[in-house]
Amino acid sequence: MTSDNTRFHEIIQAEGRLDRDRRLILFLRERIAESADTATERERALLAAVGRILAHFADGFEAAALRDSANGVFGHYEALGWSLRCTAFAAFSEHPGFSPDWRP
């Protein structure tokens, strides 16, 4: 049985992760939009693939985070979020809008 203090701490951590991921989604959407006009055909295909993964993540990460944190499970959306943080770090870590909490 977890104490109220422990549960409160878990809720705060979950909210912090949700906030981090909301900001990541906005950041990546902006970078994809910026890059699309000057990208090569191959780069546009890659941006489109990242965009599809990002859309899937954006559609379900909040509900999954609440469910998974309650169960203590590293779930599908957490894995997608980690891969998107890796992508953001690899492609955009030098961008002035990149946040250190997106480091994988």
Side-chain angles (χ1 to χ4, degrees), residues 39-52:
T40 65
E41 185 176 330
R42 188 173 182 184
E43 290 168 335
R44 277 194 298 276
L46 180 60
L47 290 170
V50 172
R52 286 189 300 275

Side-chain angles (χ1 to χ4, degrees), residues 12-30:
I12 296 299
Q13 286 179 326
E15 284 299 319
R17 287 188 300 272
L18 287 171
D19 182 54
R20 173 202 66 199
D21 291 343
R22 289 179 193 119
R23 291 181 295 109
L24 176 66
I25 290 167
L26 291 174
F27 177 80
L28 284 173
R29 283 181 175 159
E30 290 171 354

Side-chain angles (χ1 to χ4, degrees), residues 8-93:
F8 178 74
H9 184 69
E10 290 171 355
I11 290 169
I12 296 299
Q13 286 179 326
E15 284 299 319
R17 287 188 300 272
L18 287 171
D19 182 54
R20 173 202 66 199
D21 291 343
R22 289 179 193 119
R23 291 181 295 109
L24 176 66
I25 290 167
L26 291 174
F27 177 80
L28 284 173
R29 283 181 175 159
E30 290 171 354
R31 301 299 71 78
I32 289 169
E34 285 175 0
S35 301
D37 291 339
T38 58
T40 65
E41 185 176 330
R42 188 173 182 184
E43 290 168 335
R44 277 194 298 276
L46 180 60
L47 290 170
V50 172
R52 286 189 300 275
I53 294 166
L54 184 60
H56 177 69
F57 179 73
D59 286 345
F61 82 99
E62 292 197 42
L66 295 173
R67 181 188 66 241
D68 292 347
S69 69
N71 296 328
V73 175
F74 185 86
H76 171 76
Y77 287 94
E78 184 61 30
L80 284 177
W82 182 82
S83 69
L84 288 168
R85 289 191 303 278
C86 289
T87 300
F89 180 73
F92 304 112
S93 61

